[in-house]
Amino acid sequence: MTAEPAVTPHQMPEGGEPDEAARQLYLAVIDRGGRIPFADITDEERAALRQLLDIGLVMVNRMDRCYTAVSPRSVSDRLGAELRSEATRLLVRAENLPGALDGLTRAYDAMPRPSGGSGGAVHVEGHVHIRQRISQLVSDCRSEVLTAQPGQRPADALQVALAQDVQLLQRGCSLRTIYQPVALAEPPAIAYAEAVTRHGSQIRILDEPFQRLIVFDRSVAVISANDDNSAAAFISDPAALSYLISGFERDWARADTTEAATALGQGPARTIPDRVGRLLARGLTQRAVATRLGLSERTVAGHISRLRDRYGAQTLFQLGWLMRGARDDG
């Protein structure tokens, strides 16, 4: 007597749809009159067989020691009914969830928050209190976050931001961030940026100074209130918000998506001489270029000397002009 061959467990595909291997095996069974003996199943076909058994497209006939085909119409009727039942159950859960969490929602809404002062601005001191208030705003956000992040962010702050920002994006909110090049120079920052872009965040790089800014739903803006970011102002005044948002949009329009892709390993790497040349083409002085790139003036002078030789420029002004023409041609 031929025993039923062993088959490895297989998770049924979502929606009960067989993959290509299972489809081909089912058609082979049909070609053989709707039945196939246990002994004719090869090792390579066992995973596909397990899938057909899980879905219900074939059934075991131990009396005849074979597998027999089942009508896909009856299978689709059964699975369709199961899916509709599951969908109804999920819809009921979705409808009941706000009520189930109503007590917790009331407690969250009643949580003490800084009260607004004159001019629609609230000043919060201390990194812990600032992060807590920002976390509340992220949690309450419903549509959009605009951020301008100059300088590097600590690795532990990025870990906290990653969890919050991914949840924000998964809720369907948009997130746009402007960075300086130095902000994406370290592995933790690159890992954060790669993770949020996979979830739909947009990132651009602006190679010039700008102020730290976060805007939630165009209704609350957060700006630094001192040099070490240990104090912040939370602004809700409409006129101030309009001013801050228009500044962000102006910087966003001028920021570089290509350089952001480069920082995330999605484009060609840009060398230091290239960066020096780009800044010279924009009219910056040697000292300004050194400050912007965090290099010594002597190092920048060496790069400029090599660029002058490459382009045959006699003066710094001429070099900047030639670099501007090269950039436009590229």
Side-chain angles (χ1 to χ4, degrees), residues 26-59:
Y26 182 83
L27 293 175
V29 175
I30 295 299
D31 287 343
R32 298 179 62 163
R35 60 189 299 274
I36 185 171
F38 292 162
D40 290 358
I41 297 295
T42 65
D43 291 341
E44 291 76 14
E45 293 173 329
R46 287 180 183 175
L49 173 65
R50 179 73 268 170
Q51 190 179 147
L52 294 176
L53 290 168
D54 290 340
I55 296 172
L57 283 169
V58 298
M59 60 180 298

PDB file of all heavy atoms in Angstrom, residues 26-59:
ATOM      1  N   TYR A  26      -2.027  22.271  -9.986  1.00  0.00           N
ATOM      2  CA  TYR A  26      -3.473  22.068 -10.090  1.00  0.00           C
ATOM      3  C   TYR A  26      -3.867  21.741 -11.532  1.00  0.00           C
ATOM      4  O   TYR A  26      -4.675  20.825 -11.778  1.00  0.00           O
ATOM      5  CB  TYR A  26      -4.208  23.316  -9.608  1.00  0.00           C
ATOM      6  CG  TYR A  26      -5.715  23.166  -9.628  1.00  0.00           C
ATOM      7  CD1 TYR A  26      -6.387  22.554  -8.580  1.00  0.00           C
ATOM      8  CD2 TYR A  26      -6.463  23.619 -10.715  1.00  0.00           C
ATOM      9  CE1 TYR A  26      -7.772  22.403  -8.599  1.00  0.00           C
ATOM     10  CE2 TYR A  26      -7.840  23.480 -10.755  1.00  0.00           C
ATOM     11  CZ  TYR A  26      -8.488  22.863  -9.692  1.00  0.00           C
ATOM     12  OH  TYR A  26      -9.854  22.704  -9.720  1.00  0.00           O
ATOM     13  N   LEU A  27      -3.302  22.475 -12.502  1.00  0.00           N
ATOM     14  CA  LEU A  27      -3.615  22.212 -13.905  1.00  0.00           C
ATOM     15  C   LEU A  27      -3.142  20.820 -14.315  1.00  0.00           C
ATOM     16  O   LEU A  27      -3.791  20.139 -15.130  1.00  0.00           O
ATOM     17  CB  LEU A  27      -2.966  23.279 -14.790  1.00  0.00           C
ATOM     18  CG  LEU A  27      -3.526  24.699 -14.643  1.00  0.00           C
ATOM     19  CD1 LEU A  27      -2.713  25.678 -15.484  1.00  0.00           C
ATOM     20  CD2 LEU A  27      -5.003  24.734 -15.049  1.00  0.00           C
ATOM     21  N   ALA A  28      -2.005  20.378 -13.745  1.00  0.00           N
ATOM     22  CA  ALA A  28      -1.520  19.023 -14.045  1.00  0.00           C
ATOM     23  C   ALA A  28      -2.494  17.978 -13.521  1.00  0.00           C
ATOM     24  O   ALA A  28      -2.727  16.947 -14.169  1.00  0.00           O
ATOM     25  CB  ALA A  28      -0.131  18.824 -13.426  1.00  0.00           C
ATOM     26  N   VAL A  29      -3.056  18.222 -12.336  1.00  0.00           N
ATOM     27  CA  VAL A  29      -4.053  17.294 -11.789  1.00  0.00           C
ATOM     28  C   VAL A  29      -5.282  17.253 -12.699  1.00  0.00           C
ATOM     29  O   VAL A  29      -5.846  16.176 -12.977  1.00  0.00           O
ATOM     30  CB  VAL A  29      -4.435  17.700 -10.357  1.00  0.00           C
ATOM     31  CG1 VAL A  29      -5.569  16.811  -9.827  1.00  0.00           C
ATOM     32  CG2 VAL A  29      -3.215  17.619  -9.434  1.00  0.00           C
ATOM     33  N   ILE A  30      -5.710  18.429 -13.160  1.00  0.00           N
ATOM     34  CA  ILE A  30      -6.862  18.492 -14.062  1.00  0.00           C
ATOM     35  C   ILE A  30      -6.576  17.728 -15.357  1.00  0.00           C
ATOM     36  O   ILE A  30      -7.433  16.986 -15.871  1.00  0.00           O
ATOM     37  CB  ILE A  30      -7.217  19.960 -14.386  1.00  0.00           C
ATOM     38  CG1 ILE A  30      -7.681  20.685 -13.119  1.00  0.00           C
ATOM     39  CG2 ILE A  30      -8.291  20.056 -15.466  1.00  0.00           C
ATOM     40  CD1 ILE A  30      -8.909  20.101 -12.485  1.00  0.00           C
ATOM     41  N   ASP A  31      -5.364  17.879 -15.893  1.00  0.00           N
ATOM     42  CA  ASP A  31      -5.008  17.182 -17.122  1.00  0.00           C
ATOM     43  C   ASP A  31      -5.056  15.671 -16.960  1.00  0.00           C
ATOM     44  O   ASP A  31      -5.244  14.934 -17.942  1.00  0.00           O
ATOM     45  CB  ASP A  31      -3.598  17.595 -17.574  1.00  0.00           C
ATOM     46  CG  ASP A  31      -3.559  19.010 -18.140  1.00  0.00           C
ATOM     47  OD1 ASP A  31      -4.648  19.531 -18.487  1.00  0.00           O
ATOM     48  OD2 ASP A  31      -2.459  19.601 -18.204  1.00  0.00           O
ATOM     49  N   ARG A  32      -4.886  15.196 -15.722  1.00  0.00           N
ATOM     50  CA  ARG A  32      -4.920  13.752 -15.477  1.00  0.00           C
ATOM     51  C   ARG A  32      -6.295  13.289 -15.022  1.00  0.00           C
ATOM     52  O   ARG A  32      -6.443  12.264 -14.378  1.00  0.00           O
ATOM     53  CB  ARG A  32      -3.866  13.387 -14.440  1.00  0.00           C
ATOM     54  CG  ARG A  32      -2.447  13.722 -14.922  1.00  0.00           C
ATOM     55  CD  ARG A  32      -1.385  13.404 -13.939  1.00  0.00           C
ATOM     56  NE  ARG A  32      -1.314  11.977 -13.610  1.00  0.00           N
ATOM     57  CZ  ARG A  32      -0.275  11.388 -13.016  1.00  0.00           C
ATOM     58  NH1 ARG A  32       0.810  12.112 -12.716  1.00  0.00           N
ATOM     59  NH2 ARG A  32      -0.291  10.102 -12.730  1.00  0.00           N
ATOM     60  N   GLY A  33      -7.307  14.094 -15.349  1.00  0.00           N
ATOM     61  CA  GLY A  33      -8.666  13.682 -15.046  1.00  0.00           C
ATOM     62  C   GLY A  33      -9.139  14.104 -13.667  1.00  0.00           C
ATOM     63  O   GLY A  33     -10.161  13.611 -13.187  1.00  0.00           O
ATOM     64  N   GLY A  34      -8.403  14.970 -13.002  1.00  0.00           N
ATOM     65  CA  GLY A  34      -8.853  15.470 -11.710  1.00  0.00           C
ATOM     66  C   GLY A  34      -8.340  14.680 -10.524  1.00  0.00           C
ATOM     67  O   GLY A  34      -8.796  14.922  -9.392  1.00  0.00           O
ATOM     68  N   ARG A  35      -7.405  13.767 -10.735  1.00  0.00           N
ATOM     69  CA  ARG A  35      -6.861  13.002  -9.612  1.00  0.00           C
ATOM     70  C   ARG A  35      -5.401  12.663  -9.908  1.00  0.00           C
ATOM     71  O   ARG A  35      -5.007  12.503 -11.056  1.00  0.00           O
ATOM     72  CB  ARG A  35      -7.653  11.718  -9.359  1.00  0.00           C
ATOM     73  CG  ARG A  35      -7.674  10.761 -10.518  1.00  0.00           C
ATOM     74  CD  ARG A  35      -8.642   9.602 -10.289  1.00  0.00           C
ATOM     75  NE  ARG A  35      -8.275   8.809  -9.135  1.00  0.00           N
ATOM     76  CZ  ARG A  35      -7.404   7.799  -9.144  1.00  0.00           C
ATOM     77  NH1 ARG A  35      -6.780   7.471 -10.268  1.00  0.00           N
ATOM     78  NH2 ARG A  35      -7.168   7.100  -8.054  1.00  0.00           N
ATOM     79  N   ILE A  36      -4.590  12.583  -8.844  1.00  0.00           N
ATOM     80  CA  ILE A  36      -3.192  12.219  -8.993  1.00  0.00           C
ATOM     81  C   ILE A  36      -2.790  11.331  -7.827  1.00  0.00           C
ATOM     82  O   ILE A  36      -3.076  11.657  -6.663  1.00  0.00           O
ATOM     83  CB  ILE A  36      -2.286  13.476  -9.078  1.00  0.00           C
ATOM     84  CG1 ILE A  36      -0.835  13.075  -9.366  1.00  0.00           C
ATOM     85  CG2 ILE A  36      -2.382  14.324  -7.829  1.00  0.00           C
ATOM     86  CD1 ILE A  36       0.064  14.265  -9.687  1.00  0.00           C
ATOM     87  N   PRO A  37      -2.197  10.153  -8.071  1.00  0.00           N
ATOM     88  CA  PRO A  37      -1.817   9.240  -6.987  1.00  0.00           C
ATOM     89  C   PRO A  37      -0.776   9.861  -6.061  1.00  0.00           C
ATOM     90  O   PRO A  37       0.032  10.704  -6.462  1.00  0.00           O
ATOM     91  CB  PRO A  37      -1.248   8.025  -7.727  1.00  0.00           C
ATOM     92  CG  PRO A  37      -1.829   8.096  -9.100  1.00  0.00           C
ATOM     93  CD  PRO A  37      -1.965   9.557  -9.405  1.00  0.00           C
ATOM     94  N   PHE A  38      -0.808   9.428  -4.792  1.00  0.00           N
ATOM     95  CA  PHE A  38       0.192   9.872  -3.819  1.00  0.00           C
ATOM     96  C   PHE A  38       1.605   9.688  -4.372  1.00  0.00           C
ATOM     97  O   PHE A  38       2.459  10.553  -4.240  1.00  0.00           O
ATOM     98  CB  PHE A  38       0.062   9.077  -2.524  1.00  0.00           C
ATOM     99  CG  PHE A  38      -1.193   9.346  -1.743  1.00  0.00           C
ATOM    100  CD1 PHE A  38      -1.610   8.442  -0.765  1.00  0.00           C
ATOM    101  CD2 PHE A  38      -1.960  10.479  -1.969  1.00  0.00           C
ATOM    102  CE1 PHE A  38      -2.753   8.674  -0.028  1.00  0.00           C
ATOM    103  CE2 PHE A  38      -3.114  10.711  -1.241  1.00  0.00           C
ATOM    104  CZ  PHE A  38      -3.519   9.809  -0.272  1.00  0.00           C
ATOM    105  N   ALA A  39       1.834   8.538  -4.992  1.00  0.00           N
ATOM    106  CA  ALA A  39       3.186   8.169  -5.412  1.00  0.00           C
ATOM    107  C   ALA A  39       3.710   9.057  -6.530  1.00  0.00           C
ATOM    108  O   ALA A  39       4.921   9.098  -6.778  1.00  0.00           O
ATOM    109  CB  ALA A  39       3.221   6.715  -5.852  1.00  0.00           C
ATOM    110  N   ASP A  40       2.824   9.790  -7.229  1.00  0.00           N
ATOM    111  CA  ASP A  40       3.267  10.592  -8.367  1.00  0.00           C
ATOM    112  C   ASP A  40       3.698  12.007  -7.971  1.00  0.00           C
ATOM    113  O   ASP A  40       4.162  12.776  -8.830  1.00  0.00           O
ATOM    114  CB  ASP A  40       2.153  10.677  -9.410  1.00  0.00           C
ATOM    115  CG  ASP A  40       1.925   9.343 -10.107  1.00  0.00           C
ATOM    116  OD1 ASP A  40       2.663   8.381  -9.788  1.00  0.00           O
ATOM    117  OD2 ASP A  40       1.012   9.260 -10.946  1.00  0.00           O
ATOM    118  N   ILE A  41       3.525  12.349  -6.713  1.00  0.00           N
ATOM    119  CA  ILE A  41       3.956  13.674  -6.249  1.00  0.00           C
ATOM    120  C   ILE A  41       5.453  13.664  -5.973  1.00  0.00           C
ATOM    121  O   ILE A  41       5.949  12.856  -5.186  1.00  0.00           O
ATOM    122  CB  ILE A  41       3.195  14.090  -4.983  1.00  0.00           C
ATOM    123  CG1 ILE A  41       1.695  14.214  -5.277  1.00  0.00           C
ATOM    124  CG2 ILE A  41       3.734  15.407  -4.426  1.00  0.00           C
ATOM    125  CD1 ILE A  41       1.348  15.314  -6.253  1.00  0.00           C
ATOM    126  N   THR A  42       6.184  14.538  -6.663  1.00  0.00           N
ATOM    127  CA  THR A  42       7.634  14.601  -6.479  1.00  0.00           C
ATOM    128  C   THR A  42       7.989  15.497  -5.291  1.00  0.00           C
ATOM    129  O   THR A  42       7.148  16.261  -4.784  1.00  0.00           O
ATOM    130  CB  THR A  42       8.309  15.175  -7.735  1.00  0.00           C
ATOM    131  OG1 THR A  42       7.903  16.539  -7.907  1.00  0.00           O
ATOM    132  CG2 THR A  42       7.897  14.385  -8.976  1.00  0.00           C
ATOM    133  N   ASP A  43       9.227  15.389  -4.845  1.00  0.00           N
ATOM    134  CA  ASP A  43       9.682  16.238  -3.735  1.00  0.00           C
ATOM    135  C   ASP A  43       9.551  17.715  -4.078  1.00  0.00           C
ATOM    136  O   ASP A  43       9.236  18.541  -3.218  1.00  0.00           O
ATOM    137  CB  ASP A  43      11.134  15.906  -3.379  1.00  0.00           C
ATOM    138  CG  ASP A  43      11.281  14.525  -2.758  1.00  0.00           C
ATOM    139  OD1 ASP A  43      10.258  13.988  -2.273  1.00  0.00           O
ATOM    140  OD2 ASP A  43      12.412  13.991  -2.748  1.00  0.00           O
ATOM    141  N   GLU A  44       9.819  18.072  -5.333  1.00  0.00           N
ATOM    142  CA  GLU A  44       9.756  19.473  -5.739  1.00  0.00           C
ATOM    143  C   GLU A  44       8.329  20.011  -5.726  1.00  0.00           C
ATOM    144  O   GLU A  44       8.112  21.222  -5.656  1.00  0.00           O
ATOM    145  CB  GLU A  44      10.337  19.653  -7.149  1.00  0.00           C
ATOM    146  CG  GLU A  44      11.855  19.436  -7.242  1.00  0.00           C
ATOM    147  CD  GLU A  44      12.217  17.949  -7.208  1.00  0.00           C
ATOM    148  OE1 GLU A  44      11.289  17.107  -7.378  1.00  0.00           O
ATOM    149  OE2 GLU A  44      13.408  17.639  -7.004  1.00  0.00           O
ATOM    150  N   GLU A  45       7.340  19.104  -5.812  1.00  0.00           N
ATOM    151  CA  GLU A  45       5.940  19.546  -5.879  1.00  0.00           C
ATOM    152  C   GLU A  45       5.262  19.598  -4.523  1.00  0.00           C
ATOM    153  O   GLU A  45       4.116  20.031  -4.433  1.00  0.00           O
ATOM    154  CB  GLU A  45       5.158  18.600  -6.794  1.00  0.00           C
ATOM    155  CG  GLU A  45       5.567  18.649  -8.250  1.00  0.00           C
ATOM    156  CD  GLU A  45       4.886  17.581  -9.080  1.00  0.00           C
ATOM    157  OE1 GLU A  45       4.598  16.496  -8.521  1.00  0.00           O
ATOM    158  OE2 GLU A  45       4.646  17.817 -10.279  1.00  0.00           O
ATOM    159  N   ARG A  46       5.946  19.169  -3.465  1.00  0.00           N
ATOM    160  CA  ARG A  46       5.270  19.053  -2.167  1.00  0.00           C
ATOM    161  C   ARG A  46       4.861  20.394  -1.585  1.00  0.00           C
ATOM    162  O   ARG A  46       3.811  20.512  -0.958  1.00  0.00           O
ATOM    163  CB  ARG A  46       6.160  18.288  -1.194  1.00  0.00           C
ATOM    164  CG  ARG A  46       6.220  16.800  -1.531  1.00  0.00           C
ATOM    165  CD  ARG A  46       7.095  16.027  -0.576  1.00  0.00           C
ATOM    166  NE  ARG A  46       7.175  14.620  -0.970  1.00  0.00           N
ATOM    167  CZ  ARG A  46       7.937  13.716  -0.395  1.00  0.00           C
ATOM    168  NH1 ARG A  46       8.723  14.082   0.622  1.00  0.00           N
ATOM    169  NH2 ARG A  46       7.956  12.469  -0.800  1.00  0.00           N
ATOM    170  N   ALA A  47       5.697  21.439  -1.782  1.00  0.00           N
ATOM    171  CA  ALA A  47       5.314  22.759  -1.270  1.00  0.00           C
ATOM    172  C   ALA A  47       4.070  23.273  -1.990  1.00  0.00           C
ATOM    173  O   ALA A  47       3.151  23.809  -1.365  1.00  0.00           O
ATOM    174  CB  ALA A  47       6.471  23.746  -1.441  1.00  0.00           C
ATOM    175  N   ALA A  48       4.010  23.076  -3.313  1.00  0.00           N
ATOM    176  CA  ALA A  48       2.833  23.495  -4.066  1.00  0.00           C
ATOM    177  C   ALA A  48       1.613  22.680  -3.668  1.00  0.00           C
ATOM    178  O   ALA A  48       0.500  23.209  -3.553  1.00  0.00           O
ATOM    179  CB  ALA A  48       3.104  23.360  -5.563  1.00  0.00           C
ATOM    180  N   LEU A  49       1.817  21.388  -3.421  1.00  0.00           N
ATOM    181  CA  LEU A  49       0.706  20.533  -2.981  1.00  0.00           C
ATOM    182  C   LEU A  49       0.167  21.001  -1.642  1.00  0.00           C
ATOM    183  O   LEU A  49      -1.050  21.068  -1.435  1.00  0.00           O
ATOM    184  CB  LEU A  49       1.177  19.079  -2.890  1.00  0.00           C
ATOM    185  CG  LEU A  49       0.165  18.097  -2.281  1.00  0.00           C
ATOM    186  CD1 LEU A  49      -1.065  17.991  -3.169  1.00  0.00           C
ATOM    187  CD2 LEU A  49       0.813  16.735  -2.055  1.00  0.00           C
ATOM    188  N   ARG A  50       1.078  21.336  -0.705  1.00  0.00           N
ATOM    189  CA  ARG A  50       0.646  21.802   0.614  1.00  0.00           C
ATOM    190  C   ARG A  50      -0.211  23.059   0.480  1.00  0.00           C
ATOM    191  O   ARG A  50      -1.209  23.243   1.182  1.00  0.00           O
ATOM    192  CB  ARG A  50       1.877  22.083   1.474  1.00  0.00           C
ATOM    193  CG  ARG A  50       1.617  22.600   2.872  1.00  0.00           C
ATOM    194  CD  ARG A  50       1.080  21.494   3.765  1.00  0.00           C
ATOM    195  NE  ARG A  50      -0.369  21.420   3.780  1.00  0.00           N
ATOM    196  CZ  ARG A  50      -1.046  20.428   4.335  1.00  0.00           C
ATOM    197  NH1 ARG A  50      -0.425  19.381   4.878  1.00  0.00           N
ATOM    198  NH2 ARG A  50      -2.357  20.433   4.335  1.00  0.00           N
ATOM    199  N   GLN A  51       0.174  23.909  -0.452  1.00  0.00           N
ATOM    200  CA  GLN A  51      -0.583  25.138  -0.681  1.00  0.00           C
ATOM    201  C   GLN A  51      -1.980  24.827  -1.214  1.00  0.00           C
ATOM    202  O   GLN A  51      -2.977  25.405  -0.761  1.00  0.00           O
ATOM    203  CB  GLN A  51       0.183  26.034  -1.660  1.00  0.00           C
ATOM    204  CG  GLN A  51      -0.394  27.434  -1.768  1.00  0.00           C
ATOM    205  CD  GLN A  51       0.379  28.300  -2.722  1.00  0.00           C
ATOM    206  OE1 GLN A  51      -0.188  29.159  -3.380  1.00  0.00           O
ATOM    207  NE2 GLN A  51       1.687  28.097  -2.816  1.00  0.00           N
ATOM    208  N   LEU A  52      -2.063  23.906  -2.176  1.00  0.00           N
ATOM    209  CA  LEU A  52      -3.375  23.531  -2.719  1.00  0.00           C
ATOM    210  C   LEU A  52      -4.255  22.899  -1.655  1.00  0.00           C
ATOM    211  O   LEU A  52      -5.475  23.139  -1.610  1.00  0.00           O
ATOM    212  CB  LEU A  52      -3.192  22.572  -3.895  1.00  0.00           C
ATOM    213  CG  LEU A  52      -2.512  23.150  -5.151  1.00  0.00           C
ATOM    214  CD1 LEU A  52      -2.320  22.058  -6.193  1.00  0.00           C
ATOM    215  CD2 LEU A  52      -3.334  24.306  -5.724  1.00  0.00           C
ATOM    216  N   LEU A  53      -3.650  22.095  -0.767  1.00  0.00           N
ATOM    217  CA  LEU A  53      -4.416  21.495   0.327  1.00  0.00           C
ATOM    218  C   LEU A  53      -4.911  22.562   1.297  1.00  0.00           C
ATOM    219  O   LEU A  53      -6.055  22.532   1.755  1.00  0.00           O
ATOM    220  CB  LEU A  53      -3.562  20.459   1.062  1.00  0.00           C
ATOM    221  CG  LEU A  53      -3.261  19.168   0.300  1.00  0.00           C
ATOM    222  CD1 LEU A  53      -2.177  18.368   1.010  1.00  0.00           C
ATOM    223  CD2 LEU A  53      -4.541  18.325   0.161  1.00  0.00           C
ATOM    224  N   ASP A  54      -4.015  23.547   1.632  1.00  0.00           N
ATOM    225  CA  ASP A  54      -4.407  24.600   2.567  1.00  0.00           C
ATOM    226  C   ASP A  54      -5.538  25.454   2.008  1.00  0.00           C
ATOM    227  O   ASP A  54      -6.448  25.852   2.726  1.00  0.00           O
ATOM    228  CB  ASP A  54      -3.202  25.490   2.894  1.00  0.00           C
ATOM    229  CG  ASP A  54      -2.158  24.772   3.738  1.00  0.00           C
ATOM    230  OD1 ASP A  54      -2.519  23.757   4.364  1.00  0.00           O
ATOM    231  OD2 ASP A  54      -0.998  25.213   3.768  1.00  0.00           O
ATOM    232  N   ILE A  55      -5.460  25.747   0.718  1.00  0.00           N
ATOM    233  CA  ILE A  55      -6.507  26.556   0.103  1.00  0.00           C
ATOM    234  C   ILE A  55      -7.794  25.761  -0.059  1.00  0.00           C
ATOM    235  O   ILE A  55      -8.892  26.312   0.033  1.00  0.00           O
ATOM    236  CB  ILE A  55      -6.020  27.087  -1.265  1.00  0.00           C
ATOM    237  CG1 ILE A  55      -4.833  28.032  -1.067  1.00  0.00           C
ATOM    238  CG2 ILE A  55      -7.137  27.799  -2.024  1.00  0.00           C
ATOM    239  CD1 ILE A  55      -4.164  28.449  -2.361  1.00  0.00           C
ATOM    240  N   GLY A  56      -7.659  24.449  -0.286  1.00  0.00           N
ATOM    241  CA  GLY A  56      -8.824  23.602  -0.507  1.00  0.00           C
ATOM    242  C   GLY A  56      -9.066  23.272  -1.949  1.00  0.00           C
ATOM    243  O   GLY A  56     -10.146  22.765  -2.309  1.00  0.00           O
ATOM    244  N   LEU A  57      -8.068  23.514  -2.823  1.00  0.00           N
ATOM    245  CA  LEU A  57      -8.242  23.226  -4.239  1.00  0.00           C
ATOM    246  C   LEU A  57      -8.016  21.749  -4.558  1.00  0.00           C
ATOM    247  O   LEU A  57      -8.388  21.294  -5.646  1.00  0.00           O
ATOM    248  CB  LEU A  57      -7.285  24.082  -5.069  1.00  0.00           C
ATOM    249  CG  LEU A  57      -7.719  25.544  -5.229  1.00  0.00           C
ATOM    250  CD1 LEU A  57      -6.599  26.389  -5.822  1.00  0.00           C
ATOM    251  CD2 LEU A  57      -8.972  25.650  -6.090  1.00  0.00           C
ATOM    252  N   VAL A  58      -7.374  21.023  -3.666  1.00  0.00           N
ATOM    253  CA  VAL A  58      -7.326  19.566  -3.773  1.00  0.00           C
ATOM    254  C   VAL A  58      -7.653  18.993  -2.403  1.00  0.00           C
ATOM    255  O   VAL A  58      -7.491  19.663  -1.381  1.00  0.00           O
ATOM    256  CB  VAL A  58      -5.937  19.041  -4.246  1.00  0.00           C
ATOM    257  CG1 VAL A  58      -5.600  19.557  -5.619  1.00  0.00           C
ATOM    258  CG2 VAL A  58      -4.849  19.379  -3.255  1.00  0.00           C
ATOM    259  N   MET A  59      -8.126  17.759  -2.405  1.00  0.00           N
ATOM    260  CA  MET A  59      -8.430  17.077  -1.147  1.00  0.00           C
ATOM    261  C   MET A  59      -7.832  15.676  -1.182  1.00  0.00           C
ATOM    262  O   MET A  59      -7.544  15.122  -2.248  1.00  0.00           O
ATOM    263  CB  MET A  59      -9.937  17.005  -0.916  1.00  0.00           C
ATOM    264  CG  MET A  59     -10.709  16.254  -1.981  1.00  0.00           C
ATOM    265  SD  MET A  59     -12.491  16.223  -1.635  1.00  0.00           S
ATOM    266  CE  MET A  59     -12.527  15.344  -0.074  1.00  0.00           C
TER     267      MET A  59
END
